[in-house]
Amino acid sequence: MGNIFEFGSIIYTKASIVNSSILSLDNIVKTYDKNVAVDGVSFEVPKGSIFGLLGPNGAGKTSLIRIITTITRADTGTVLLDGEKLNSRHPEQIGYMPEERGLYRKMKVGEHLLYLARLKGLSKEQAKLQIKHWLEKFEIEDWWDKKVEELSKGMQQKIQFIATVVHEPKLLILDEPFSGLDPVNTNLIKDEIHELHNKGVSIIFSTHRMEQVEEVCEHIVLINKGRNVLEGKVQDIKNQFKRNRFQIDYEGTLPPGLELNADIVEQSDHSITIQVDEEGRSNELLQYLLQNGVFVHAFNEILPSLNEIFIRQVKRV
Amino acid sequence: MDKLWLIIKREYLTRVKRRSFIIATLLTPLAFAVFFVVVGLIFQYESDDTRRIAIIDEGNVLERSIKDEKNLYFKFVDVELEVLREHFDEFDYDGILVIPRVKDLMSKNYTVYYYSDKQPTLDIESLIRERVREGVKDFKIAALQLDPVQLEALDTRVALEPEPIDESGQDASKLTGAIAAGIGGLMGIIMYIVVFIYGMMVMRSVMEEKTSRIVEVMISSVRPFQLMLGKIVGVGAVGLTQVAIWAILIPAVVLITSLVFGLDSSSQMQMAQASPGAADINPEDAEAMIALAIEEFNSLNWWAILPLFIFYFLGGYFLYASLFAAVGSAMGDDLGEGQSLTIPITIPVVLAFYIMIVAIQAPNSSLAVWSSIFPLFSPIVMPARLAFSPPLWEVLASVVVLAGSSIFFVWLSGRIYRVGILMYGKKVTLRELGKWMFYRD
């Protein structure tokens, strides 16, 4: 009975992957000359998720993104966008903000956005409507006739963001979106990303800044030297890499012989971090403390940060 | 296709609307006008420096007659040279010309002496020599008792009139060569300038897109080849616009200024006469020649030449602009560093220019013929030969080869371009450019 149920659930899972992925990469290989940039990467981006594409510099992130955005083609492997093989109509459904981004300096803001929107397949009227909407949203309606070169860098980045989303893409790819942004603009863009996420837009967020990933992403894939090292939900990955560490804030004196039951990682006045060898042992430990008259204020499991996991994984490979 | 059109439109409009374009387009004809006026004034100014020259004719060689020139007056004096030299400052002369006796009638050499506190200018010197030569000639004719009419008849003028072998052929006049050379040279020079100005414009623009980092945004919407082609076509249209405006404005401005400043045909004639070798054309001959030239000009087969000229304009432009685009894509932020990459492109252009100059003088030499078929040279050499009515097979071969090569080079450059625009921070060599052609997409 249990076997049949399991069998059925596997089929169900497989079918749900096909339907629920906005993007699926299968065994992508890309070489330049003799240099292997991407070496058999596979992952799925769930529809409507904020997905982190992580990796150190030179890991192959940009090469992968260029394949997804149809700028280049993979040597082997398949890319499906919403269940369809990548084709020449897909760029209109993707919004891409490259890490290396710029604008035509001599153009006026309005005509520049109009140009980029029309290249994404919008009609002139649609494009105007959308651009006006976004300029109003950012309270910069009066920039239409300003030349790009008159804008500050931060102002230009707002325009770049609008250019990325103006055609209402299904999939948004942001490569280091916050690099060079001041805190005010970072928050502004973050809010917009969340708003788009709530509207159901799938977002790929590529970066090597882990604290941003933890804040924003639900799923991640970690790439190093052209291969994927780690993939899954942020929470699952953290659980997978936890080391049964607990931080205990207490009052009173710790019973002797604590170190026989657990490793003490860090100790300070009224606070101690310890590591147990098995997950269940934490309960025993707590019990032991209470029985010995220690007054426990807080008992927290410490999950590793993505940064730790990232560094550990990258070093290991 | 829609996207390509959008790109072309942007590339064209942003340039044409730019203030620098409008200024350059309008100022160039003005510069021509200024040049024309200044040159005209210079020639009018030439001889306002009045000179008075005293002549001491010891043997009465000139028989007291010599023709005055504009601003140059001669006076025969019967004063001793020593007296004249001593009191030179009191007399109002600029120089003293001493004509000694002719000692040997059969000698070809004869020396006269010019005393002055200033060096004689070149034009005065040659004028005096010419006048004295004429005088000595008359003196010798009289002394040797020759018949001047018979002597005149010895000097025969020879004209060469080209005639076709078969009767249906075009009757070319003696001016055809000169007219064809003029038009051919002009066409070749225009092509040379067009390739350089607008080819470089494409290159700079590709570089700007790369260094301003707009290019990756662009090619996430359009194919790199579309972007490159759109740019080449757009800039080419800018070139056509500018050349067309100049073709109308420059003659108009020159005409107007020549009317306003009164640089009429006689002063132009003076300019022509000032050039060496043109001195013995008398005004009546010149007028007839101008009429003949206009007739020749009209008799050229413009219905064939003009479309062909536009074809070579486009073919040459596409070929070279695409190469410049490929090189621009390989250049980094540093213009100087990539400059060496443009040398392989500029060398054939410059070579073609020199071959063109030779081809005008010998339009049917094998150098001219093969260069006007070789696609890197033909856009500059062939337009220069068109006015000499080259054989049909040469024109056809040249057109076919150029058309094919232009398409090939645009394709080839596209393959380099698509890789180059995404390469940052690397110094690129020519060998690497070659490798890029074979990269997969």
Side-chain angles (χ1 to χ4, degrees):
Chain A
M1 197 55 193
N3 271 348
I4 293 170
F5 178 77
E6 259 182 51
F7 188 55
S9 83
I10 288 167
I11 290 177
Y12 173 76
T13 314
K14 274 216 154 180
S16 78
I17 285 172
V18 172
N19 286 327
S20 68
S21 292
I22 182 75
L23 187 74
S24 62
L25 271 68
D26 185 27
N27 202 17
I28 302 298
V29 176
K30 175 80 186 170
T31 53
Y32 294 101
D33 219 358
K34 281 162 202 143
N35 181 10
V36 182
V38 182
D39 189 10
V41 169
S42 310
F43 61 82
E44 306 275 337
V45 179
K47 217 176 248 184
S49 67
I50 303 186
F51 185 92
L53 174 59
L54 317 178
N57 290 328
K61 284 175 300 190
T62 303
S63 296
L64 267 178
I65 290 175
R66 284 179 182 165
I67 290 167
I68 298 167
T69 50
T70 75
I71 288 175
T72 55
R73 248 189 292 248
D75 299 346
T76 59
T78 46
V79 182
L80 303 181
L81 183 72
D82 212 0
E84 236 186 320
K85 259 196 149 183
L86 268 193
N87 60 48
S88 59
R89 289 185 313 281
H90 279 142
E92 297 179 1
Q93 300 170 14
I94 299 174
Y96 172 39
M97 190 154 91
E99 182 181 3
E100 300 282 5
R101 46 187 179 256
L103 297 164
Y104 288 112
R105 293 165 42 78
K106 300 274 176 199
M107 273 180 108
K108 287 176 182 166
V109 169
E111 57 177 343
H112 201 318
L113 285 171
L114 201 60
Y115 178 55
L116 292 176
R118 294 206 61 198
L119 287 178
K120 284 288 187 188
L122 294 191
S123 72
K124 206 172 183 173
E125 292 70 33
Q126 278 175 311
K128 270 191 182 159
L129 227 61
Q130 281 291 334
I131 295 164
K132 282 215 174 104
H133 162 76
W134 277 101
L135 290 181
E136 273 166 31
K137 195 162 186 196
F138 284 168
E139 295 171 353
I140 48 176
E141 303 95 306
D142 53 331
W143 286 10
W144 187 281
D145 278 323
K146 266 194 187 162
K147 273 194 177 172
V148 169
E149 59 187 351
E150 293 166 25
L151 302 182
S152 73
K153 213 177 165 203
M155 293 158 119
Q156 289 188 23
Q157 274 160 334
K158 280 185 192 167
I159 305 300
Q160 279 154 357
F161 184 78
I162 295 176
T164 313
V165 297
V166 68
H167 57 295
E168 300 186 310
K170 285 199 237 184
L171 175 64
L172 200 59
I173 302 175
L174 308 170
D175 196 354
E176 300 287 359
F178 304 128
S179 74
L181 281 192
D182 62 43
V184 177
N185 277 329
T186 303
N187 275 335
L188 187 81
I189 301 293
K190 248 183 218 168
D191 290 348
E192 288 307 324
I193 291 174
H194 283 299
E195 199 170 306
L196 287 164
H197 173 58
N198 290 338
K199 280 186 191 157
V201 177
S202 312
I203 299 163
I204 295 179
F205 185 94
S206 166
T207 186
H208 60 269
R209 308 265 311 265
M210 292 302 139
E211 73 282 3
Q212 290 172 354
V213 178
E214 244 165 307
E215 226 173 293
V216 182
C217 299
E218 301 157 327
H219 291 74
I220 60 159
V221 61
L222 174 61
I223 291 176
N224 191 30
K225 295 185 178 159
R227 295 168 196 255
N228 43 345
V229 181
L230 208 59
E231 186 195 346
K233 283 195 170 179
V234 172
Q235 206 53 45
D236 294 350
I237 287 174
K238 284 191 159 192
N239 280 326
Q240 188 191 329
F241 281 87
K242 70 180 179 185
R243 292 193 273 189
N244 298 319
R245 281 187 182 183
F246 297 89
Q247 189 191 356
I248 304 155
D249 295 348
Y250 65 93
E251 247 167 80
T253 28
L254 289 172
L258 189 64
E259 62 276 11
L260 298 176
N261 295 308
D263 296 331
I264 296 169
V265 180
E266 218 183 311
Q267 193 167 12
S268 62
D269 206 17
H270 301 301
S271 177
I272 186 168
T273 307
I274 55 176
Q275 183 167 348
V276 295
D277 46 11
E278 249 176 83
E279 192 167 10
R281 300 281 315 266
S282 59
N283 280 355
E284 292 168 26
L285 184 76
L286 184 56
Q287 245 168 7
Y288 177 71
L289 287 175
L290 294 173
Q291 277 165 5
N292 282 284
V294 178
F295 186 71
V296 175
H297 284 298
F299 189 82
N300 285 323
E301 182 167 16
I302 299 177
L303 288 175
S305 71
L306 274 181
N307 204 33
E308 277 174 57
I309 298 173
F310 177 86
I311 291 169
R312 237 192 289 167
Q313 287 303 100
V314 167
K315 275 189 180 156
R316 210 189 60 190
V317 173
Chain B
M1 223 28 213
D2 272 359
K3 290 181 182 176
L4 180 63
W5 178 241
L6 281 171
I7 296 169
I8 294 171
K9 225 166 70 179
R10 191 201 83 87
E11 296 291 338
Y12 180 77
L13 288 178
T14 50
R15 284 193 174 71
V16 171
K17 281 196 274 182
R18 214 172 279 171
R19 204 175 299 140
S20 58
F21 172 85
I22 297 169
I23 289 172
T25 309
L26 297 182
L27 276 193
T28 306
L30 268 184
F32 264 87
V34 170
F35 174 78
F36 195 73
V37 169
V38 169
V39 170
L41 289 179
I42 288 170
F43 275 99
Q44 281 185 335
Y45 239 83
E46 175 211 40
S47 44
D48 70 335
D49 180 19
T50 308
R51 297 289 184 99
R52 293 159 50 82
I53 293 169
I55 297 179
I56 302 173
D57 192 355
E58 291 166 350
N60 199 18
V61 177
L62 299 180
E63 292 179 316
R64 304 196 87 84
S65 98
I66 187 165
K67 231 164 77 189
D68 281 338
E69 269 300 309
K70 195 177 174 192
N71 299 329
L72 185 61
Y73 303 101
F74 296 105
K75 188 157 197 296
F76 290 93
V77 291
D78 296 317
V79 191
E80 288 293 311
L81 176 64
E82 279 66 36
V83 180
L84 216 47
R85 282 177 76 177
E86 211 163 301
H87 302 281
F88 187 71
D89 291 338
E90 292 156 40
F91 293 101
D92 193 17
Y93 294 121
D94 295 285
I96 309 159
L97 183 64
V98 177
I99 317 260
R101 282 174 209 286
V102 179
K103 290 186 183 114
D104 181 3
L105 279 177
M106 298 312 285
S107 169
K108 278 181 79 90
N109 298 320
Y110 181 64
T111 308
V112 296
Y113 303 91
Y114 182 75
Y115 295 85
S116 175
D117 49 358
K118 295 188 277 262
Q119 280 285 315
T121 58
L122 276 180
D123 57 337
I124 288 178
E125 194 189 317
S126 70
L127 204 92
I128 292 173
R129 271 194 284 125
E130 182 57 28
R131 288 279 177 274
V132 174
R133 194 184 67 82
E134 284 165 12
V136 172
K137 190 180 171 190
D138 289 342
F139 177 80
K140 283 180 174 177
I141 288 172
L144 293 169
Q145 294 177 323
L146 300 173
D147 180 358
V149 181
Q150 279 177 349
L151 271 177
E152 196 60 39
L154 285 178
D155 190 12
T156 317
R157 263 191 215 172
V158 179
L160 186 115
E161 181 76 29
E163 294 291 335
I165 293 290
D166 59 273
E167 302 218 341
S168 63
Q170 233 182 9
D171 184 8
S173 83
K174 57 187 172 187
L175 269 183
T176 304
I179 297 281
I183 292 168
L186 188 69
M187 283 182 168
I189 289 168
I190 291 174
M191 281 306 306
Y192 176 79
I193 293 172
V194 160
V195 164
F196 263 121
I197 294 185
Y198 303 105
M200 288 283 189
M201 204 184 268
V202 168
M203 185 182 80
R204 262 205 313 277
S205 160
V206 168
M207 270 181 57
E208 271 167 26
E209 272 179 2
K210 192 178 163 186
T211 51
S212 74
R213 306 291 196 259
I214 177 73
V215 71
E216 197 159 344
V217 175
M218 289 297 297
I219 58 173
S220 69
S221 303
V222 298
R223 303 233 47 84
F225 185 74
Q226 283 177 311
L227 182 57
M228 187 190 87
L229 190 63
K231 182 176 296 296
I232 293 175
V233 174
V235 172
V238 173
L240 276 177
T241 308
Q242 200 162 37
V243 171
I245 291 174
W246 285 343
I248 296 166
L249 274 191
I250 291 176
V253 167
V254 167
L255 188 73
I256 289 168
T257 45
S258 68
L259 288 179
V260 169
F261 284 85
L263 298 171
D264 54 357
S265 58
S266 79
S267 77
Q268 280 166 38
M269 200 74 74
Q270 242 182 358
M271 281 188 220
Q273 278 177 348
S275 59
D280 56 337
I281 297 172
N282 71 47
E284 265 171 52
D285 273 359
E287 248 166 62
M289 262 171 74
I290 288 168
L292 189 60
I294 290 168
E295 192 187 312
E296 281 298 326
F297 187 80
N298 288 335
S299 77
L300 281 172
N301 191 0
W302 289 105
W303 292 111
I305 290 179
L306 276 185
L308 276 172
F309 185 64
I310 291 170
F311 169 81
Y312 282 103
F313 179 96
L314 294 177
Y317 168 73
F318 269 97
L319 195 154
Y320 277 106
S322 66
L323 288 176
F324 274 117
V327 166
S329 77
M331 284 190 185
D333 301 347
D334 183 8
L335 179 70
E337 197 175 84
Q339 206 72 40
S340 63
L341 290 174
T342 62
I343 291 172
I345 309 177
T346 48
I347 285 176
V349 182
V350 174
L351 273 184
F353 184 73
Y354 286 113
I355 293 174
M356 183 269 288
I357 292 171
V358 175
I360 290 170
Q361 287 150 17
N364 293 314
S365 66
S366 54
L367 174 72
V369 171
W370 291 111
S371 299
S372 56
I373 291 169
F374 181 62
L376 288 176
F377 296 160
S378 67
I380 292 172
V381 178
M382 198 52 164
R385 288 182 66 216
L386 284 176
F388 295 97
S389 3
L392 187 64
W393 77 265
E394 283 178 28
V395 178
L396 281 181
S398 165
V399 164
V400 170
V401 170
L402 180 60
S405 331
S406 298
I407 293 167
F408 174 73
F409 275 104
V410 170
W411 173 81
L412 194 75
S413 301
R415 293 195 61 84
I416 296 174
Y417 175 86
R418 93 212 135 109
V419 179
I421 46 175
L422 294 175
M423 291 272 178
Y424 290 117
K426 214 167 110 183
K427 205 172 169 181
V428 179
T429 61
L430 269 183
R431 241 188 74 191
E432 257 168 301
L433 284 194
K435 268 193 205 160
W436 292 355
M437 290 179 215
F438 302 105
Y439 273 18
R440 275 177 288 183
D441 256 334

